[in-house]
């Protein structure tokens, strides 16, 4: 159950309202990486969670995000308020000014309505935790950009608090994922097809006019993966992904039980 206490988790102070910045703040109120999305994603994952330890973690953080929603909403409201009676201010967000009277609305900075389509909820705890780690990273970078766009001291303080908590949550979700002790590439139940899983398709080749290069990195180290160079140009096709019957072919019609070997062009 929820209980509202008439205090903000972080005290919000705005010295100089900036309606243009208030519009940007809506991104963290009703946007894809905003506080409502975080609160709903974690809380609903928590409702679905059968692991009692992670359920508690998800409900703790989901509930904290609701408190963040109140902080960012209060902050945005202070910046948007002049819109109600000031046409110059209103031009920064006519929808908020005219339809909302300078109040916050559950939309992003471009006026798009908040949607539950933002939420990533799969019913697989490890998969959900990975989504949450990514969500926290996105929220962190959005806060950082907002901080860079304001000179108002009180606003910076509140945003610094909210940004900091995203790193705290990021760490908690990372540790929770680690605590499941699942090998990082084991997702779900069905194993990937041997052979195919260890192929690297070098599908973007050559050099570009702006210095783009064909790279050898740790992700396509020939000691770890088999490089298939230019598979489309080479007529390479996968005929079966059934582990026992895994077969590939080249455009000369020759089929192979093992994946096509290609020497790497450097
Ligand atoms: Mn938050
Ligand atoms: Mn968070």
């Amino acid at each position: 159950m929820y209980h509202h206490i008439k205090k903000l988790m972080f005290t919000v102070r705005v010295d100089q309202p900036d309606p243009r910045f208030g519009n940007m703040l809506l991104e963290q109120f009703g946007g894809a990486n905003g506080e409502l999305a975080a609160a709903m994603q974690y809380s609903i994952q928590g409702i679905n969670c059968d692991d009692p330890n992670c359920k508690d973690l998800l409900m703790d953080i989901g509930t904290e995000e609701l408190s963040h929603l109140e902080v960012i909403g209060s902050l945005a409201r202070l910046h948007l308020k002049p819109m109600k009676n000031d046409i110059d201010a209103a031009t920064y967000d006519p929808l908020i000014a005219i339809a909302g009277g300078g109040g916050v609305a559950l939309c992003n900075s471009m006026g798009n309505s908040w949607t539950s389509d933002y939420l990533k909820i799969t019913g697989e705890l490890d998969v959900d935790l990975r989504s949450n780690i990514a969500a926290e990273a996105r929220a962190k970078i959005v806060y950082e950009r907002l901080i860079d766009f304001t000179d108002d001291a009180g606003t910076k303080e509140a945003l610094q608090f909210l940004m900091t908590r995203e790193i705290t949550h990021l760490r908690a979700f990372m540790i929770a994922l680690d605590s499941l002790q699942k090998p990082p590439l084991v997702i779900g139940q069905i194993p990937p097809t041997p052979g195919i899983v260890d192929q690297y398709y070098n599908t973007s080749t050559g050099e570009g006019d702006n210095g783009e290069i064909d790279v050898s990195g740790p992700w396509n180290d020939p000691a770890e993966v088999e490089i298939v160079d230019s598979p489309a140009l080479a007529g390479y096709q996968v005929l079966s992904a059934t582990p026992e019957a895994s077969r590939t072919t080249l455009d000369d019609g020759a089929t192979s039980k093992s994946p096509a070997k290609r020497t790497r062009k450097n």
Side-chain angles (χ1 to χ4, degrees):
M1 73 177 74
Y2 292 92
H3 184 95
H4 185 255
I5 295 170
K6 294 177 189 61
K7 290 182 188 304
L8 288 175
M9 184 172 230
F10 188 92
T11 312
V12 168
R13 195 190 83 240
V14 170
D15 297 317
Q16 190 58 50
D18 178 354
R20 183 173 64 157
F21 190 66
N23 162 263
M24 293 181 193
L25 288 173
L26 290 175
E27 200 59 43
Q28 282 304 86
F29 188 69
N33 305 305
E35 300 294 353
L36 183 66
M40 292 300 105
Q41 179 161 307
Y42 310 153
S43 298
I44 294 167
Q45 287 174 357
I47 290 170
N48 292 334
C49 186
D50 294 326
D51 175 316
N53 300 326
C54 285
K55 188 184 188 83
D56 185 47
L57 170 69
L58 291 164
M59 296 313 293
D60 280 340
I61 299 184
T63 305
E64 181 182 338
E65 303 290 14
L66 273 183
S67 295
H68 293 182
L69 181 73
E70 192 183 21
V71 172
I72 192 73
S74 302
L75 184 65
R77 165 66 176 155
L78 289 171
H79 282 287
L80 294 170
K81 205 170 178 177
M83 284 186 182
K84 190 172 186 179
N85 303 308
D86 176 348
I87 189 164
D88 291 330
T91 55
Y92 292 117
D93 197 328
L95 185 68
I96 290 290
I98 296 164
V104 290
L106 281 174
C107 55
N108 68 11
S109 57
M110 295 300 289
N112 298 308
S113 296
W114 187 87
T115 166
S116 60
D117 290 343
Y118 292 150
L119 308 185
K120 306 296 179 210
I121 300 166
T122 68
E124 288 289 328
L125 181 55
D126 60 312
V127 177
D128 282 350
L129 288 171
R130 288 165 189 264
S131 294
N132 299 354
I133 291 164
E136 294 291 340
R138 290 193 299 267
K140 198 279 179 187
I141 204 69
V142 174
Y143 275 125
E144 186 171 310
R145 290 173 183 153
L146 287 169
I147 288 168
D148 284 344
F149 280 154
T150 183
D151 292 323
D152 185 78
T155 301
K156 270 188 187 297
E157 277 275 304
L159 295 175
Q160 175 74 28
F161 168 75
L162 294 169
M163 183 189 76
T164 297
R165 294 304 298 168
E166 310 305 10
I167 296 298
T168 308
H169 297 164
L170 180 73
R171 179 177 57 196
F173 287 134
M174 285 174 65
I175 293 171
L177 178 61
D178 216 40
S179 76
L180 301 179
Q181 295 191 306
K182 287 193 71 171
L185 293 180
V186 174
I187 310 286
Q189 304 297 319
I190 302 173
T193 305
I196 294 173
V197 74
D198 292 322
Q199 288 182 314
Y200 184 89
Y201 298 148
N202 188 25
T203 54
S204 174
T205 58
E207 289 172 13
D209 294 339
N210 296 308
E212 298 95 333
I213 51 174
D214 202 17
V215 175
S216 298
W219 53 87
N220 60 357
D221 178 350
E224 302 291 331
V225 293
E226 180 201 352
I227 313 293
V228 180
D229 261 320
S230 308
L233 300 180
Y236 172 83
Q237 284 187 294
V238 179
L239 298 181
S240 171
T242 308
E244 317 75 66
S246 172
R247 291 177 74 80
T248 57
T249 185
L250 299 174
D251 55 4
D252 60 7
T255 56
S256 164
K257 183 117 169 58
S258 64
K261 289 274 178 191
R262 279 285 191 276
T263 49
R264 186 170 175 74
K265 287 177 234 156
N266 282 314

